[in-house]
């Protein structure tokens, strides 16, 4: 028997209802903030992610589904959503148009990692990206939108924020950090040793307990921010304070991707166990330019849908739509024609197999429809249908033409 690949799962009832519920309402909230839907290809050039996500990241170094296609091109299944949206933004010349563009997206992402609770090889993200707005008020706006989405679904969380600096304050800090890491290099894991050369700030993202212990006394970027970055970060903190939004400044928060600058944030939940990050994001003011676009600032976030889907409780479903059933074989054809007409305006399910009334009512109730419509020999003779409202329990005979 052929089975789904390891770390890749079907989305079946009842989980599919939660997916639909999440996507519908997250999209609605993003739209309320002025974001428009965008969809980018699942397959992209490998170089897009190597240049944007960064070769020092675990995603590029270990986890990408990368292969050579029949045309000899190096391609990969997208491991995250931002890079593809940025590529589309540049390719469609939005970077040359003055003004702010806001997009939201959702879909599958792929990373070859060890499957565990809330972490699959094919997983789904909902994300937003804003281009062309460098005001730190947009940082607050993005955090506020993400908070509103999580609040709507009743997710328990805490907010962590940090500033990753810019190309002014980051280089001198990096030199200090490299010196510190070089002195303790023998005790670091192999990944962190590699990061000393590729991107030293990423060591703070290491989950190795020994590395975490060695990094307790490492220099922190917060004390090395330039005036512009410090001013921007203070604005974000003060505005969050004014809005009454609780947060923690986490100087170890660097996110898992190389393109972040300035504000970075993460929402974590104790309800998820070890993999407790629900969602996160931040600024990437140099990414558009780095991928050969104009100098356009950007900021966004992504939510791991599988991470939170089991924490979502669906509201009580209301009965809706119709169930059509026949008592005898000879009524099936007419039943189907009536259902097709009704389906133009209503949700309609049809039973192709004749059953007794009790069996039809049982199925209609299980499908949670509001009306059960039945045709039997007497109804057929008099051009009527028997209909029952499963909410009020009212019954009636109705002319077929009026149905």
């Amino acid at each position: 028997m052929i089975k789904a690949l390891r770390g890749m799962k079907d989305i079946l009832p009842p989980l599919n209802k939660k997916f639909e519920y999440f996507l519908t309402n997250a999209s609605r909230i993003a739209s309320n903030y002025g974001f428009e839907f965008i969809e980018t290809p699942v397959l992209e050039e490998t170089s897009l992610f190597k240049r944007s996500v960064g070769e020092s990241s675990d995603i590029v170094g270990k986890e990408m589904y990368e292969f050579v296609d029949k045309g000899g091109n190096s391609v990969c299944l997208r491991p995250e959503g931002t890079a593809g949206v940025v590529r589309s933004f540049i390719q469609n010349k939005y970077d040359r148009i003055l003004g702010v563009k806001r997009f939201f997206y959702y879909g599958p992402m792929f990373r070859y990692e060890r499957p565990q609770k809330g972490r699959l090889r094919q997983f789904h993200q909902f994300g937003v990206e804003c281009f062309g707005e460098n005001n730190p008020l947009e940082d607050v706006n993005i955090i506020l939108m993400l908070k509103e989405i999580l609040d709507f679904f009743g997710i328990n969380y805490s907010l962590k924020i940090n500033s990753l600096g810019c190309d002014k304050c980051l280089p001198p800090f990096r030199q200090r950090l490299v010196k510190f890491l070089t002195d303790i290099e023998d005790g670091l894991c192999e990944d962190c040793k590699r990061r000393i050369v590729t991107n030293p700030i990423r060591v703070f993202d290491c989950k190795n307990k020994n590395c975490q212990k060695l990094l307790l006394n490492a220099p922190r970027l917060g004390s090395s921010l330039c005036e512009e970055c410090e001013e921007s970060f203070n604005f974000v903190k003060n505005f969050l304070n004014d809005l009454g939004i609780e947060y923690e400044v986490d100087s170890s928060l660097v996110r898992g991707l190389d393109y972040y600058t300035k504000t970075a944030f993460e929402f974590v939940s104790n309800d998820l166990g070890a993999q407790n990050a629900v969602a996160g994001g931040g600024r990437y003011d140099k990414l558009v330019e780095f991928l050969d676009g104009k100098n356009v600032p950007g900021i966004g976030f992504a939510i791991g849908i599988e991470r939170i889907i089991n924490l979502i409780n669906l509201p009580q479903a209301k009965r809706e739509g119709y169930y059509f059933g026949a008592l005898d074989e000879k009524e099936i054809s007419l039943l189907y024609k009536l259902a097709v007409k009704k389906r133009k305006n209503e949700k309609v399910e049809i039973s192709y197999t004749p059953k007794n009334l009790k069996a039809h009512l049982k199925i209609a109730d299980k499908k949670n429809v509001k009306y059960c419509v039945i045709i039997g020999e007497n109804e057929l003779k008099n051009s009527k249908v028997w209909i029952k409202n499963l909410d009020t329990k009212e019954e009636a005979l109705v002319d077929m033409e009026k149905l």
Side-chain angles (χ1 to χ4, degrees):
M1 180 177 65
I2 299 174
K3 296 182 179 180
L5 297 173
R6 185 170 182 243
M8 300 186 180
K9 293 188 175 181
D10 304 309
I11 301 174
L12 299 169
L15 199 60
N16 63 336
K17 295 294 183 186
K18 288 190 175 184
F19 263 82
E20 290 177 335
Y21 180 64
F22 173 84
L23 292 174
T24 297
N25 289 286
S27 299
R28 175 183 54 79
I29 292 171
S31 296
N32 289 347
Y33 278 74
F35 285 72
E36 299 178 281
F37 177 67
I38 185 175
E39 182 162 355
T40 60
V42 172
L43 199 65
E44 297 269 11
E45 287 188 26
T46 303
S47 59
L48 171 64
F49 299 105
K50 287 188 174 181
R51 290 178 62 187
S52 59
V53 175
E55 301 213 35
S56 68
S57 69
D58 288 345
I59 293 174
V60 171
K62 304 176 182 178
E63 298 169 359
M64 287 206 302
Y65 278 85
E66 177 186 351
F67 59 95
V68 176
D69 69 10
K70 293 182 178 181
N73 306 298
S74 178
V75 297
C76 73
L77 296 171
R78 62 184 181 194
E80 58 93 46
T82 299
V85 176
V86 173
R87 189 267 313 145
S88 177
F89 180 78
I90 298 168
Q91 183 177 339
N92 290 285
K93 298 182 172 55
Y94 285 119
D95 59 325
R96 302 182 185 186
I97 303 172
L98 292 177
V100 179
K101 291 296 293 183
R102 294 184 171 94
F103 299 106
F104 73 88
Y105 61 89
Y106 48 80
M109 312 291 165
F110 302 83
R111 296 181 191 175
Y112 194 87
E113 55 186 348
R114 185 170 64 86
Q116 51 191 295
K117 184 180 179 181
R119 176 171 283 186
L120 299 170
R121 289 178 175 175
Q122 177 179 312
F123 59 100
H124 296 78
Q125 284 186 345
F126 177 93
V128 308
E129 314 294 348
C130 171
F131 300 98
E133 183 58 83
N134 58 13
N135 191 316
L137 195 54
E138 184 66 15
D139 303 27
V140 178
N141 192 52
I142 292 287
I143 292 172
L144 194 62
M145 185 192 348
L146 180 48
K147 177 183 182 300
E148 187 174 334
I149 291 173
L150 298 179
D151 284 344
F152 178 86
F153 295 110
I155 307 299
N156 295 316
Y157 60 79
S158 57
L159 168 62
K160 296 183 178 183
I161 63 173
N162 193 23
S163 177
L164 304 182
C166 65
D167 51 7
K168 292 179 185 175
C169 49
L170 197 54
F173 168 74
R174 188 182 281 115
Q175 289 180 352
R176 288 172 52 210
L177 181 59
V178 167
K179 185 178 184 306
F180 175 86
L181 295 174
T182 303
D183 292 340
I184 62 168
E185 184 174 358
D186 290 344
L188 296 174
C189 70
E190 292 304 313
D191 283 338
C192 284
K193 289 178 181 178
R194 174 173 53 85
R195 287 165 179 157
I196 294 175
V197 178
T198 56
N199 189 358
I201 195 173
R202 287 289 324 291
V203 298
F204 293 114
D205 200 39
C206 182
K207 302 301 185 288
N208 183 292
K209 290 184 178 180
N210 188 57
C211 290
Q212 290 177 348
K213 196 180 297 183
L214 291 171
L215 292 170
L216 287 175
N217 296 319
R220 303 288 168 165
L221 184 55
S223 59
S224 304
L225 294 177
C226 66
E227 185 178 345
E228 181 186 340
C229 289
E230 188 167 7
E231 187 178 310
S232 175
F233 194 44
N234 285 336
F235 179 93
V236 172
K237 291 187 290 184
N238 291 335
F239 217 99
L240 291 175
N241 290 335
D242 290 344
L243 293 171
I245 297 175
E246 296 182 4
Y247 63 87
E248 172 195 346
V249 176
D250 183 354
S251 59
S252 298
L253 175 62
V254 296
R255 303 290 296 146
L257 311 171
D258 286 359
Y259 51 63
Y260 285 113
T261 58
K262 291 188 178 178
T263 305
F265 54 88
E266 200 164 77
F267 285 77
V268 299
S269 174
N270 292 328
D271 295 337
L272 293 175
Q275 298 293 335
N276 65 350
V278 174
R283 279 207 164 268
Y284 47 86
D285 288 345
K286 295 297 179 181
L287 183 56
V288 175
E289 187 177 18
F290 188 67
L291 291 176
D292 304 322
K294 300 290 184 182
N295 184 7
V296 178
I299 184 171
F301 70 71
I303 302 173
I305 299 177
E306 277 83 0
R307 291 279 180 93
I308 67 170
I309 202 74
N310 289 320
L311 303 179
I312 293 175
N313 293 314
L314 291 173
Q316 184 67 38
K318 293 181 180 179
R319 290 187 180 276
E320 61 175 350
Y322 289 74
Y323 170 87
F324 278 50
L327 301 182
D328 299 295
E329 187 73 39
K330 59 188 175 184
E331 291 111 32
I332 294 288
S333 178
L334 177 59
L335 174 88
Y336 187 84
K337 291 174 183 176
L338 289 172
V340 167
K341 288 182 180 179
K342 191 67 180 170
R343 191 177 273 160
K344 290 179 180 179
N345 299 305
E346 301 277 357
K347 174 185 174 183
V348 176
E349 297 206 35
I350 312 169
S351 172
Y352 299 147
T353 306
K355 298 177 181 66
N356 62 43
L357 179 59
K358 185 178 180 181
H360 280 309
L361 286 169
K362 187 175 181 181
I363 295 171
D365 184 56
K366 190 175 181 180
K367 289 182 176 293
N368 207 36
V369 298
K370 189 171 183 178
Y371 298 102
C372 181
V373 177
I374 302 297
I375 298 180
E377 185 177 354
N378 290 335
E379 288 78 20
L380 183 62
K381 199 178 295 182
N382 297 304
S383 296
K384 293 183 180 293
V385 297
W386 179 86
I387 183 167
K388 181 173 183 177
N389 183 321
L390 299 185
D391 272 335
T392 65
K393 310 306 179 187
E394 293 176 276
E395 303 173 12
L397 285 171
V398 178
D399 289 340
M400 290 182 183
E401 290 179 3
K402 294 181 179 179
L403 179 64

